Amino acid sequence: MGEEMENNSINTNSTTGDEKHQPAEDGDVKYYTRKQIQAHNMSKDAWLIIHDKVYDITCFLEEHPGGEEVLLEQAGSDATESFEDVGHSTDAREMLEQYYIGELHEDDRKRDCKKEVYITTSKESSSWSTWLIPAVAVAVVGFMYRYYMLEHKSS
């Protein structure tokens, strides 16, 4: 039964390098398994996974500012971490969309928990800093005010 479901929900198109992929239209999303994507790891046929989306970047290899070798190292695999580590611009992210061909199949997506960011402060630093900084600011303003008022009274 699991096999039947897999065959019904996974794109079973041929994974040869000869086929041309059109960007998926809304509502017509194609799903690819990691196994299918791994077959596309050569300079004449290179796919990447970035944020669970699949991109055919074959045509972009020669245009990539970092060189095609960087992309070929990631071809056929999940390049999300590498893509984010580089800190690509908004323009690069928009350009990526033209190479979109589908989505990573749900069964192959990483089940990572959302990363939670914890900001920790010790009670000592937060207690003195919450009153010390404003107190110093008030003292400085008070001294400036007194100096200004005394200066103008004596003139």
Side-chain angles (χ1 to χ4, degrees), residues 4-154:
E4 290 172 7
M5 286 180 63
E6 186 174 315
N7 288 337
N8 288 335
S9 61
I10 298 174
N11 180 4
T12 56
N13 290 344
S14 167
T15 56
T16 63
D18 297 336
E19 66 185 59
K20 299 288 181 197
H21 296 282
Q22 298 299 322
E25 297 175 12
D26 290 340
D28 187 28
V29 177
K30 294 182 180 180
Y31 291 92
Y32 300 94
T33 63
R34 283 190 190 274
K35 187 174 182 181
Q36 287 174 308
I37 296 163
Q38 287 169 353
H40 300 273
N41 62 1
M42 297 169 278
S43 62
K44 293 183 180 182
D45 183 28
W47 290 10
L48 291 176
I49 303 166
I50 299 176
H51 295 293
D52 295 330
K53 293 184 178 183
V54 182
Y55 301 93
D56 182 347
I57 48 109
T58 309
C59 298
F60 181 67
L61 290 174
E62 292 179 10
E63 298 173 34
H64 188 254
E68 68 181 77
E69 297 81 20
V70 175
L71 294 176
L72 287 173
E73 286 176 9
Q74 300 290 321
S77 65
D78 191 333
T80 303
E81 189 173 337
S82 298
F83 183 82
E84 292 300 338
D85 285 348
V86 172
H88 284 89
S89 67
T90 304
D91 290 341
R93 292 172 190 279
E94 289 173 6
M95 183 185 292
L96 184 62
E97 292 306 312
Q98 67 185 319
Y99 302 105
Y100 174 80
I101 59 170
E103 302 274 334
L104 182 62
H105 191 273
E106 289 290 329
D107 292 344
D108 286 337
R109 293 183 184 198
K110 292 182 180 175
R111 303 284 184 228
D112 292 337
C113 296
K114 290 185 179 179
K115 292 182 180 178
E116 295 182 26
V117 177
Y118 294 101
I119 300 173
T120 57
T121 57
S122 69
K123 298 231 183 243
E124 293 173 20
S125 66
S126 65
S127 65
W128 69 264
S129 64
T130 55
W131 64 264
L132 181 63
I133 294 172
V136 169
V138 166
V140 169
V141 170
F143 286 123
M144 290 174 57
Y145 178 75
R146 283 189 156 200
Y147 177 77
Y148 178 75
M149 293 303 285
L150 291 176
E151 227 12 75
H152 280 26
K153 281 186 179 181
S154 43

